[in-house]
Amino acid sequence: MTIRLRITLWYMGLLILVLVILCSALYSYVRYTTGQDIKNTIDRTVQDIHITQSVDFWRSLQINLSPRIENKQVIIQVVDYITGQVRYTSNLADSGYNLAYPEPDSNLQAAYSKVDINGSPFKVLSVPITLKDNSLVGLLQVGVYTGKEEQILGNLRLILVLASVSVLLIAFLLGLYVSRQALKPLHRVTVASTRIEGGQDLGIRIPRGKAQDEIGTLTDTLNGMLSRLQQAYLDMNQSYDTQRRFVADASHELRTPLTTVRGNSDLLKKLWVKLSADRVEQHHIDLSLEAIQDISDESERMTRLITDLLALARGDAGQIVVKSPVELYPIVAEAARKAALLPRTAGWKNELDIFRTIVIEADRAYLQQLLLILIENAFKYTPSGEVRLSGVRRDHAVGIKVQDTGIGISEAELPHIFDRFYRADVSRGRTAGYGLGLSIAKWIIDEHHASVEVYSKENEGSTFIVWFPIADQSLTVRVEEDDRE
C-alpha cells in the first residue's frame, strides 16, 4: 500500500469518525426535541381535559370530560375499572381500534407507550384516575399522532446518510489529489534515487519547491548528501586513476633497478667463476667495482621509495608528531648545508638571518625533512637558473620560503601537487621521482598546524612558503637557557 493511499485512508478514518459524531449528535438532538414536543402536546391535552371523578350510591364512576376534544390528531380513551366501561373519542371509535390498558393495580403509574393504529403511529400517555383516598377507579389514555415526526426523522436519517456518503466520496477524491500534490517532492526523490542507483548520473539534484516545510528540508538534506556523494565518487575515481598511474610508474621504477641489480649480480658471478682459474687483471676489478656501484645506487633508489611509502603509511595510521620548542635557525642552517651537497644544475643561495632568535613548536627531524623535500624538489625542476632559501615574517608567524626559476606548474595542475602519486605531465619522463615527496611534506605541515602557500607560473618558476606560528616569549627564554646549560 502506497503512502499516498495510507494518508488518504487515515484522513478518511478521521473524517468518518467526525461525521459519525456530528450526525449522531444532530440526529439525537432532533429526535430528543421532537419527542419533547410530542410529550408537551400530550401533557397540554391532558391538562385541557377536566375529569370529575366520583362514585354514586350504586358504585358507578361518574366521569365528565370538558371541553369536548375534536382534534383528529389526538385520541382519548377512559377506562372505568369499577364497571369495566370504556369510553373513547369518535376518531378512535371510527378506527375500530381500542387501546390496550393494564389491569387495575394500586401501584399503577403514569407511563408513555407507542401504538400503531391502522398503520398510523401514536404515542400514548396512560394516567391512573384515583379518588381522594387514592383508590384507583379508572385510567385516562391520551395519544398523539407521531407520523409526521417519524417521517421527519426518517428523512433526516436519509439526508444524513446520503450527505455523509457524498462528503466521504468527495473527501476521498480530494484527499487523493491533495496527497498526490503533497507527495510530489517525494516522488521526485524516488525518481532521482532510482536513477542514481542505476548509476546514470550522480549530478542529478532533486528540484526544490518554494515551501519552507519538512519536505523542503528533506530535499535540501538529500541534495547535500548527493553533492557529497558525487564529490566522494569523483575523488575516489581520481584517487584510483592516480594510484593506477603510480603503480605503473612504481612498477617501472622498481623493475629497472631490480633488472640492473640482477644483471650485475649475474655478471659478477660469471666473471669471478671464470677468474677463479685465471689471473685477475685490473680491468676485471674495475668492471666488478662498477657493477657493485650500480647495485648500490639502485638499492638506494628502492630504499628511498620504500622509505617514502613507509612515511605515508605511518601518517595514515595516525602517527602523532611530538613537537617541542626549538630554535628555527639551526634547523634551517643545517638543511641549507645538506642542500648544498645535493645533485643539482641550478645555482643555490640562502638568506637565513631572519630566522635567528625565532622559536617554534616543531619536531627537528620532520622539519628538516620538510625543508629538504622542498629544496630537492626545486632542484629537480630547475635545470638552469637559481634556487633560493629565505624567510619572511608576518605578525606572529614566520614563513620559510623556497623559490626557484624552474619549469613551473600550470594553473590546472597546481591544486593537485600535494596529492599522492601525482606528477605533473610536464615532468613525467624528464625527472626521476614517484610523486610522493610533496604528499609527505603536506602531512608534515598539517601535523605542525602550519600552512603552505604556492605561487607558480609555467616557464618562470615556483615559490613555496610554509608558515609556522611563532612560539611565545616564555618558550624563547626557556630554549635560550637550555642552550646555555
Side-chain angles (χ1 to χ4, degrees):
M1 184 182 295
T2 63
I3 296 179
R4 174 188 173 190
L5 184 57
R6 284 204 298 268
I7 292 176
T8 304
L9 292 179
W10 292 341
Y11 163 72
M12 290 294 296
L14 292 175
L15 184 58
I16 289 173
L17 180 61
V18 172
L19 285 177
V20 168
I21 294 174
L22 290 178
C23 292
S24 299
L26 177 61
Y27 180 79
S28 299
Y29 174 76
V30 174
R31 183 179 180 183
Y32 173 78
T33 55
T34 302
Q36 288 299 114
D37 290 342
I38 294 174
K39 289 182 178 180
N40 292 336
T41 301
I42 296 176
D43 291 341
R44 285 195 301 270
T45 303
V46 170
Q47 292 175 3
D48 290 341
I49 298 175
H50 300 283
I51 299 178
T52 303
Q53 61 269 32
S54 62
V55 180
D56 58 12
F57 178 79
W58 304 104
R59 300 293 296 174
S60 176
L61 178 62
Q62 301 296 321
I63 298 178
N64 297 317
L65 298 179
S66 61
R68 186 176 182 86
I69 303 298
E70 298 293 344
N71 192 343
K72 297 293 184 180
Q73 304 293 324
V74 178
I75 58 174
I76 301 174
Q77 178 174 283
V78 180
V79 180
D80 184 351
Y81 282 135
I82 297 177
T83 63
Q85 182 182 5
V86 178
R87 300 173 60 188
Y88 35 78
T89 54
S90 58
N91 54 1
L92 184 59
D94 294 340
S95 67
Y97 183 87
N98 293 332
L99 297 177
Y101 53 88
E103 293 296 326
D105 186 354
S106 58
N107 295 323
L108 190 61
Q109 300 292 329
Y112 287 95
S113 62
K114 290 183 178 181
V115 297
D116 189 276
I117 301 177
N118 297 331
S120 299
F122 283 82
K123 191 166 189 177
V124 177
L125 172 62
S126 300
V127 181
I129 303 173
T130 59
L131 298 177
K132 293 181 180 180
D133 59 357
N134 292 327
S135 59
L136 181 65
V137 295
L139 181 68
L140 172 64
Q141 293 178 297
V142 178
V144 174
Y145 176 69
T146 59
K148 291 182 179 180
E149 288 76 6
E150 293 290 340
Q151 185 178 6
I152 292 173
L153 292 176
N155 292 336
L156 178 61
R157 286 194 299 268
L158 179 61
I159 292 172
L160 291 176
V161 170
L162 293 178
S164 298
V165 172
S166 300
V167 169
L168 290 175
L169 180 60
I170 295 174
F172 179 76
L173 297 176
L174 185 61
L176 287 178
Y177 174 77
V178 171
S179 61
R180 178 183 179 183
Q181 295 299 115
L183 295 176
K184 267 188 177 181
L186 292 181
H187 177 69
R188 292 195 290 265
V189 170
T190 304
V191 172
S193 301
T194 302
R195 293 179 63 184
I196 293 171
E197 182 183 11
Q200 296 181 14
D201 185 8
L202 288 177
I204 297 175
R205 294 296 177 268
I206 303 168
R208 192 195 190 287
K210 297 181 179 179
Q212 300 296 328
D213 53 10
E214 291 82 356
I215 295 181
T217 303
L218 175 62
T219 301
D220 292 339
T221 302
L222 290 177
N223 283 335
M225 181 187 68
L226 291 176
S227 298
R228 292 192 296 272
L229 181 63
Q230 182 186 19
Q231 186 61 44
Y233 185 77
L234 294 176
D235 293 342
M236 182 180 64
N237 282 342
Q238 184 179 8
S239 177
Y240 284 160
D241 292 340
T242 305
Q243 289 186 30
R244 282 194 294 267
R245 186 168 63 178
F246 165 75
V247 169
D249 290 344
S251 299
H252 174 73
E253 297 293 341
L254 286 173
R255 183 174 57 189
T256 300
L258 287 174
T259 302
T260 303
V261 169
R262 183 174 179 180
N264 284 285
S265 298
D266 291 342
L267 175 62
L268 289 174
K269 181 179 179 181
K270 293 177 181 179
L271 180 63
W272 287 100
V273 168
K274 180 180 179 181
L275 293 178
S276 61
D278 300 336
R279 179 182 176 183
V280 179
E281 298 182 0
Q282 183 61 40
H283 75 278
H284 294 150
I285 296 176
D286 294 338
L287 186 61
S288 299
L289 291 176
E290 183 179 351
I292 292 172
Q293 184 62 42
D294 288 343
I295 292 173
S296 177
D297 291 342
E298 298 303 328
S299 298
E300 183 179 355
R301 286 182 58 193
M302 289 188 293
T303 300
R304 292 186 63 183
L305 174 60
I306 293 172
T307 300
D308 289 346
L309 292 174
L310 180 61
L312 289 175
R314 287 173 177 171
D316 290 339
Q319 178 179 351
I320 299 176
V321 175
V322 180
K323 300 178 289 294
S324 60
V326 296
E327 287 186 343
L328 187 56
Y329 179 78
I331 299 174
V332 178
E334 178 67 15
R337 184 188 66 80
K338 292 182 178 180
L341 304 176
L342 294 175
R344 55 188 169 84
T345 59
W348 168 242
K349 293 184 179 180
N350 57 79
E351 301 172 358
L352 310 180
D353 289 340
I354 194 174
F355 299 115
R356 296 182 184 276
T357 70
I358 292 180
V359 176
I360 64 172
E361 289 274 347
D363 179 276
R364 292 177 182 269
Y366 279 116
L367 182 55
Q368 193 168 107
Q369 182 182 3
L370 167 65
L371 297 177
L372 289 175
I373 289 174
L374 296 178
I375 296 171
E376 184 179 11
N377 196 68
F379 284 153
K380 188 185 300 182
Y381 295 105
T382 307
S384 62
E386 179 183 274
V387 176
R388 181 185 297 270
L389 174 63
S390 60
V392 59
R393 186 165 180 172
R394 184 174 63 193
D395 297 332
H396 298 288
V398 60
I400 302 176
K401 184 177 180 180
V402 178
Q403 186 176 11
D404 66 66
T405 59
I407 62 177
I409 307 169
S410 68
E411 185 177 353
E413 293 170 334
L414 196 60
H416 307 289
I417 59 174
F418 292 108
D419 295 344
R420 295 183 183 183
F421 318 122
Y422 184 81
R423 295 180 66 196
D425 290 337
V426 70
S427 68
R428 291 173 59 83
R430 298 185 184 181
T431 57
Y434 311 103
L436 296 177
L438 290 181
S439 297
I440 297 173
K442 186 63 168 63
W443 172 72
I444 296 174
I445 292 171
D446 292 339
E447 286 296 315
H448 283 79
H449 305 292
S451 61
V452 60
E453 297 177 0
V454 183
Y455 308 94
S456 185
K457 192 173 183 179
E458 286 187 277
N459 301 319
E460 293 187 10
S462 303
T463 301
F464 286 75
I465 305 177
V466 182
W467 293 96
F468 292 90
I470 299 176
D472 58 35
Q473 186 65 29
S474 61
L475 293 178
T476 304
V477 173
R478 192 181 310 137
V479 171
E480 292 175 352
E481 292 176 351
D482 292 341
D483 290 342
R484 286 196 297 270
E485 292 177 358

